[in-house]
Amino acid sequence: QVQLVESGGGLVQAGDSLRLSCAASGRTFSVYGTGWFRQAPGKEREFVAAITWNGDNTTYTDSVKGRFHITRGDAKNTVYLQMNSLKPEDTGVYYCATTKYFVLQSAPLYDSWGQGTQVTVAS
């Protein structure tokens, strides 16, 4: 099992930036990719971005392309989500998760999840 701890959320104004962090521990050798998902009130959890364990490949949902940037730290066990030009529709609880599978955009294929961090973007 992999343990994940997110941090970096908060309340910001539209147009501001935030950087989320996801620190992993435990059986990280089994991880193929790390993803960020978000859930707004009354909505389903949705994929935001993901990165492979070696950092060579990234993928984003269309609504955040050009604004969000996912990276992996030098020690490989921390993943960052840099969020720029934030919009009110980016509001939600952001979760990081890990997967052993090659399909990075599918939430059911992720088997370890963090507790989430709240991001609120005021208009």
Side-chain angles (χ1 to χ4, degrees):
Q1 191 73 3
V2 177
Q3 292 78 45
L4 301 167
V5 178
E6 303 101 331
S7 61
L11 170 64
V12 296
Q13 297 294 314
D16 286 350
S17 298
L18 276 177
R19 189 176 82 156
L20 306 183
S21 299
C22 172
S25 60
R27 298 172 62 88
T28 57
F29 60 85
S30 66
V31 172
Y32 174 74
T34 302
W36 284 97
F37 294 79
R38 66 188 179 191
Q39 188 165 19
K43 295 187 176 180
E44 293 186 356
R45 191 171 298 187
E46 65 170 344
F47 170 79
V48 176
I51 187 168
T52 52
W53 182 248
N54 59 8
D56 284 354
N57 291 294
T58 59
T59 183
Y60 300 87
T61 192
D62 286 346
S63 63
V64 307
K65 286 180 180 177
R67 299 188 299 122
F68 290 14
H69 188 48
I70 189 169
T71 56
R72 187 176 291 281
D74 291 340
K76 304 294 185 188
N77 62 345
T78 302
V79 170
Y80 304 98
L81 184 68
Q82 178 67 42
M83 306 186 295
N84 300 321
S85 302
L86 282 162
K87 303 176 181 180
E89 51 263 44
D90 294 318
T91 294
V93 179
Y94 282 69
Y95 300 90
C96 72
T98 58
T99 180
K100 301 185 292 290
Y101 302 102
F102 296 157
V103 180
L104 297 176
Q105 298 184 348
S106 177
L109 296 181
Y110 284 74
D111 47 20
S112 295
W113 292 81
Q115 82 288 352
T117 185
Q118 177 71 45
V119 172
T120 303
V121 184
S123 58

